[in-house]
Amino acid sequence: MGELLLGLGGALLLTWLVLIAALLVARPRGGLLREAVRLLPDVLRLIRRLAADRTLPRGVRVRLGLLLAYLALPIDLVPDFIPVLGYADDAIVVTAVLRGVVRRAGLDAVRAHWPGTDDGFAALVRLTRLGSATP
């Protein structure tokens, strides 16, 4: 029984380390991470609007719904006391999901639902590299 618990604990730790490594690879570079945190309120409204849009493919809406559920959870992949990534994991996950949304639904759908300023949308495009994604 002890070996099973030890093995399970080791597997969970390894899975968590792989997730941390994936977040490090996917994180925005330079000052973009600060921009991501600044845009978070507009991005949350964008995600909610996109998830409610019945014209988007069902798979896109499901991903966005799961993303909203993840963001609502009080438990993060990376605890907040870890420097830099502690507060940035949500921004990194949102960025990855939005890239997938643009690939499936198109940049025009994201632009149509953007609640913020044009400058904010330009920052979102830079942050997520949405302009280089093909719908």
Side-chain angles (χ1 to χ4, degrees):
M1 182 70 171
E3 289 177 7
L4 177 66
L5 289 176
L6 188 60
L8 184 60
L12 286 173
L13 178 62
L14 181 61
T15 302
W16 184 78
L17 289 173
V18 168
L19 286 172
I20 296 296
L23 286 174
L24 283 170
V25 169
R27 80 183 185 283
R29 306 289 188 246
L32 289 177
L33 191 57
R34 199 169 312 120
E35 259 185 296
V37 173
R38 182 179 59 82
L39 290 174
L40 199 55
D42 285 336
V43 170
L44 291 174
R45 284 193 297 275
L46 170 69
I47 293 167
R48 188 174 30 93
R49 289 177 179 183
L50 287 168
D53 184 351
R54 297 272 184 203
T55 64
L56 295 179
R58 186 176 191 196
V60 167
R61 289 183 288 130
V62 167
R63 280 186 225 149
L64 290 165
L66 290 172
L67 175 61
L68 286 172
Y70 167 76
L71 292 173
L73 288 175
I75 299 171
D76 286 339
L77 287 175
V78 181
D80 290 339
F81 63 83
I82 295 178
V84 182
L85 279 180
Y87 289 106
D89 63 327
D90 291 344
I92 295 167
V93 171
V94 166
T95 298
V97 171
L98 281 178
R99 285 180 191 154
V101 167
V102 169
R103 278 195 292 280
R104 295 275 324 270
L107 186 59
D108 291 337
V110 174
R111 180 65 182 123
H113 291 288
W114 178 249
T117 65
D118 290 339
D119 289 341
F121 185 74
L124 179 73
V125 169
R126 276 193 316 277
L127 170 70
T128 59
R129 295 187 303 266
L130 293 178
S132 62
T134 16

